[in-house]
Amino acid sequence: MLRVVVPIVILAVFVYGLVDLIRTDARLTRGISKTAWIFVQVLLPVVGAILWFLIGRPRATDVAPVVYSHPIAPDDDPEFLRNLEIRRRNQAEEDRLKKLKAEYDAKQNKLDAGTAEASGTGSAGDAHEPGDAGTQGTDEVK
């Protein structure tokens, strides 16, 4: 039983240490370079893995290098795209209101022209006011 457990533990420690080393960012390794750590782990499987966990592995308090942000393109900036959409909607609304106002003005001019034409061409003798004797069909009592 011990002859099976020991090699499995050695293999597990070696594989875990190697995978952890490979997944670690090269800038965060301590002691020696990442490539050198790989050679140490391959040449000395158990000792290399133990050394990696004790010396080379980055600590939780280690901070990754600061990545300086660069300006992003306007088509990648969500705030710019949001403002662009708002401006587009506002412009569409203004255009719609101008069109409605033009239609309203055209109808108003047509209506004004029609009332001016009707009042200017009618004869004075034909017009009857309510309550006139000439008005037919009314049942008003005077």
Side-chain angles (χ1 to χ4, degrees):
M1 174 79 169
L2 193 59
R3 288 176 35 172
V4 175
V5 173
V6 172
I8 290 176
V9 170
I10 291 172
L11 184 64
V13 170
F14 170 71
V15 169
Y16 182 75
L18 192 61
V19 169
D20 187 47
L21 171 61
I22 291 170
R23 292 187 59 174
T24 303
D25 188 14
R27 294 174 290 182
L28 298 177
T29 58
R30 296 183 303 144
I32 55 178
S33 69
K34 185 173 180 176
T35 309
W37 275 115
I38 292 173
F39 283 124
V40 168
Q41 282 210 10
V42 169
L43 295 175
L44 306 168
V46 176
V47 177
I50 293 171
L51 288 174
W52 164 250
F53 289 121
L54 295 176
I55 300 172
R57 189 170 192 221
R59 294 190 178 128
T61 58
D62 290 345
V63 179
V66 177
V67 177
Y68 296 103
S69 64
H70 57 283
I72 55 177
D75 57 342
D76 293 337
D77 185 10
E79 186 66 29
F80 175 79
L81 294 175
R82 191 175 309 111
N83 288 338
L84 191 65
E85 179 64 21
I86 290 170
R87 282 188 274 168
R88 187 194 61 78
R89 286 182 187 168
N90 289 343
Q91 183 64 37
E93 183 67 19
E94 287 176 16
D95 292 344
R96 188 180 73 82
L97 288 176
K98 284 180 184 176
K99 181 180 175 185
L100 288 174
K101 180 150 177 40
E103 289 176 2
Y104 174 76
D105 289 342
K107 286 182 181 179
Q108 193 68 27
N109 289 340
K110 184 177 180 182
L111 184 63
D112 289 345
T115 56
E117 186 178 301
S119 66
T121 60
S123 62
D126 292 343
H128 298 286
E129 291 185 22
D132 273 352
T135 305
Q136 296 177 356
T138 59
D139 295 331
E140 289 184 35
V141 179
K142 292 188 180 184

